[in-house]
Amino acid sequence: ADPHFAADFPAQAPDGSAALQPLTVPEAESLLSRYDILLPASVDLGTSVYRQFLQYHSASDLLSCRDVIAALAPDYLSAFDAVMNQTRFNGWNMFLTHYPVFRAYCDWLFPILEETEQRIHPENRTDYQQRIMGFLGERLLQVWLLMQPLRIYDTPCYTIR
């Protein structure tokens, strides 16, 4: 069985450490008045984003996605390669942002994911591997952000299993 989990952005305790309670709307609004996007804090993978992906998924999926970027968004190809060589990663497919930033990201992301899905046909895979578009999307957020002049805030994140 595939483990499911929930993640949440915690509020900050007065001493700056993460409190074990969700970020409130006023706290999020305050952060978003100073930053364009809030991300879960990056983690050190101990290996490249590319190698970490290969531990759980097929290289051909990632390479198909790269080919789609080369065709649909060639200006992002060098950012894709740079992200794949990084060892730090903001995962979870979570962020808080303003609507225009969200819309711009979605307008870039979904054509890439849709074309990639057409090429890799995930429907005949295990339940876990059918989630491949989400796993690719996690990495593509990093690619998109690398090309944007945004003020990014990494906030602690905790997992509820």
Side-chain angles (χ1 to χ4, degrees):
D2 156 58
H4 286 353
F5 54 87
D8 209 342
F9 291 108
Q12 294 292 308
D15 66 358
S17 63
L20 294 179
Q21 61 213 2
L23 190 66
T24 66
V25 171
E27 290 162 335
E29 288 173 342
S30 174
L31 286 168
L32 286 170
S33 71
R34 298 184 311 256
Y35 298 95
D36 299 309
I37 189 166
L38 312 180
L39 297 174
S42 65
V43 295
D44 186 352
L45 298 173
T47 188
S48 70
V49 170
Y50 177 78
R51 290 192 185 283
Q52 189 270 346
F53 184 90
L54 296 187
Q55 291 173 1
Y56 304 98
H57 312 290
S58 169
S60 64
D61 293 344
L62 199 56
L63 296 175
S64 291
C65 186
R66 186 183 188 280
D67 290 344
V68 170
I69 290 171
L72 299 182
D75 292 350
Y76 285 79
L77 197 55
S78 63
F80 179 90
D81 292 339
V83 166
M84 291 305 117
N85 287 309
Q86 292 175 358
T87 59
R88 296 203 66 80
F89 180 65
N90 302 81
W92 308 99
N93 271 332
M94 295 179 17
F95 58 88
L96 296 173
T97 192
H98 306 278
Y99 183 76
V101 175
F102 176 73
R103 183 78 258 155
Y105 173 58
C106 289
D107 288 346
W108 176 84
L109 174 69
F110 286 104
I112 292 168
L113 288 180
E114 289 166 0
E115 179 60 28
T116 301
E117 186 174 32
Q118 293 298 314
R119 294 181 185 201
I120 67 174
H121 306 288
E123 60 276 359
N124 296 323
R125 300 177 181 199
T126 66
D127 288 347
Y128 179 75
Q129 289 302 330
Q130 285 182 23
R131 295 168 44 201
I132 189 62
M133 304 320 294
F135 299 128
L136 291 169
E138 279 183 306
R139 281 111 187 126
L140 292 179
L141 175 59
Q142 305 297 129
V143 173
W144 186 77
L145 288 171
L146 197 57
M147 299 292 289
Q148 306 305 312
L150 298 175
R151 296 166 299 158
I152 299 170
Y153 181 80
D154 280 8
T155 185
C157 185
Y158 62 90
T159 304
I160 305 167
R161 291 195 186 256

